[in-house]
Amino acid sequence: LSPDCSFTCHYRCRALVQLDCGGPPGAGDEDDGHEQVLEKDTNVDEPSEWEKTELDQAQVEKRIKEYNSQINSNLFMSLNKDGSYTGFIKVQLKLVRPVSVPATKRVPSLQAGRPHPQGVKRRTSFYLPKGTVKHLHILSHTRASEVIDALLRKFTVIDNPRKFALFERSEKDEQVYLRKLGDDEQPLRLRLLAGPSEKVLSFILKENETGEVNWDAFTLPELQNFLLILQREEEEHLRRLRHRYARCRQKMQEAL
C-alpha cells in the first residue's frame, strides 16, 4: 500500500509496478473540482460543427497549408497523392480507474532459498499518472476506434478497448464541453477543421461511461477490484464534499 496515492498490489507484483505519484491525496483537488463543474457532456449522436463540414480536395489542401502555418512545432500535416493526408494528434489520457498490463517479468521470491523458476504470468493493474499525453501519427481516414487501439498498444494495456472512449473537448464562453466520438469518426479530420488550438479542440481518452456495461464480460477478480475501487471513489467524493461544505461554513462564521 503506497502512502501517497494508496495503490495496492500483490507482494509478488511490487517489482513490476512503477508509479510517479503526484503527492499526497488531496493535492490538486481544487483544480479537479473546478474542471468537473465546468465540463458538460454532450450526446455522441449530436455531431459537432466540424463533423458537419464537407471539404473538397482544393479546400483540404488550403486548410493543410493554413494549419501548418499556425503551428509552432514540426508536427505538420502532409497531403498524399491519393487525396488523403497524414498528421499528428495529441491525446490526453484522463483515466480514473486502473488499467491492466501483462506481467511477464521474473520476480524474485521474498522467501530466502525458494526462488520462483517461472515468471508471473498474471496481469498487473496500476493507475496511469495524471496528465499523461501521447502524440499519434495517423491518417485522415483513421477511425476513433483505431486511435483507441493504438493508444492501448503504446502502453501495453490488455483491457478490452470497449472499456474506453475517445472524447473531443472544446471551450466556449468559459464553458467546457465534452463529446464522445463515434467509432467511425476521424480525429485527424476534426483536428484539421478545428485548427491547431487546443482550446478549440483537444482529444481525451476516458472510460466508456455508456450506462450499458455488460458486467458478465468481466472476470471475478476484475469485478471484486471494481467494487473496491467504487468504494474508494465514494469515500473520496464524500471527503471532497465535506471539505467544500466545511470551507463554506468557515467563511460564514468568519463573516458573522
Side-chain angles (χ1 to χ4, degrees):
L1 179 65
S2 167
D4 290 338
C5 61
S6 301
F7 90 92
T8 306
C9 72
H10 193 274
Y11 74 94
R12 291 171 57 190
C13 302
R14 285 187 300 179
L16 302 176
V17 179
Q18 293 183 350
L19 292 176
D20 182 16
C21 298
D29 285 355
E30 295 302 317
D31 292 340
D32 291 344
H34 184 60
E35 182 78 351
Q36 290 173 1
V37 172
L38 288 177
E39 285 186 356
K40 178 181 179 182
D41 289 342
T42 57
N43 197 303
V44 66
D45 297 327
E46 299 175 3
S48 63
E49 56 182 293
W50 304 293
E51 185 64 18
K52 302 174 185 177
T53 305
E54 295 293 338
L55 299 178
D56 57 29
Q57 187 66 20
Q59 290 173 322
V60 168
E61 186 174 359
K62 180 182 177 182
R63 290 265 188 165
I64 291 177
K65 290 180 179 179
E66 292 176 350
Y67 182 93
N68 290 340
S69 66
Q70 295 173 18
I71 62 175
N72 298 320
S73 63
N74 58 350
L75 304 180
F76 299 108
M77 289 195 189
S78 302
L79 185 63
N80 302 322
K81 294 181 179 179
D82 60 0
S84 65
Y85 49 95
T86 58
F88 293 86
I89 62 168
K90 183 173 75 172
V91 182
Q92 181 184 10
L93 280 70
K94 209 171 184 180
L95 304 177
V96 297
R97 297 186 177 90
V99 295
S100 299
V101 298
T104 57
K105 296 181 180 179
R106 295 180 181 273
V107 181
S109 172
L110 297 181
Q111 300 179 9
R114 295 184 59 187
H116 293 282
Q118 296 179 350
V120 179
K121 296 183 179 179
R122 297 177 182 177
R123 60 173 58 190
T124 299
S125 297
F126 69 98
Y127 288 89
L128 283 174
K130 288 184 178 180
T132 300
V133 173
K134 190 67 179 178
H135 286 86
L136 292 177
H137 188 246
I138 62 175
L139 291 163
S140 54
H141 53 74
T142 301
R143 298 178 297 132
S145 59
E146 294 172 326
V147 169
I148 295 174
D149 291 339
L151 286 170
L152 297 184
R153 287 196 302 271
K154 290 283 186 182
F155 291 94
T156 65
V157 175
I158 58 177
D159 291 315
N160 191 325
R162 303 300 298 176
K163 295 181 183 180
F164 308 92
L166 193 64
F167 288 78
E168 67 171 26
R169 179 186 184 278
S170 57
E171 297 181 24
K172 186 177 181 181
D173 300 328
E174 298 184 354
Q175 181 79 31
V176 176
Y177 294 89
L178 287 180
R179 185 183 71 90
K180 187 173 74 172
L181 271 62
D183 288 343
D184 294 329
E185 290 192 57
Q186 301 163 338
L188 189 62
R189 178 176 178 273
L190 296 176
R191 177 80 279 162
L192 176 63
L193 292 171
S197 172
E198 291 291 323
K199 286 190 175 182
V200 176
L201 175 70
S202 60
F203 295 107
I204 299 175
L205 183 73
K206 299 179 66 176
E207 282 84 3
N208 190 10
E209 303 289 356
T210 62
E212 300 176 355
V213 179
N214 180 18
W215 296 111
D216 293 334
F218 294 89
T219 63
L220 184 60
E222 283 182 317
L223 291 173
Q224 291 173 338
N225 196 30
F226 287 154
L227 288 175
L228 290 174
I229 293 169
L230 286 175
Q231 180 182 350
R232 291 175 182 173
E233 287 181 353
E234 181 183 8
E235 292 172 353
E236 177 64 15
H237 186 62
L238 289 173
R239 186 191 66 79
R240 292 186 180 185
L241 282 177
R242 292 191 185 101
H243 176 70
R244 183 181 304 172
Y245 280 99
R247 263 200 334 181
C248 291
R249 190 177 295 109
Q250 180 184 359
K251 290 185 180 296
M252 291 179 186
Q253 291 173 347
E254 290 174 356
L256 289 171

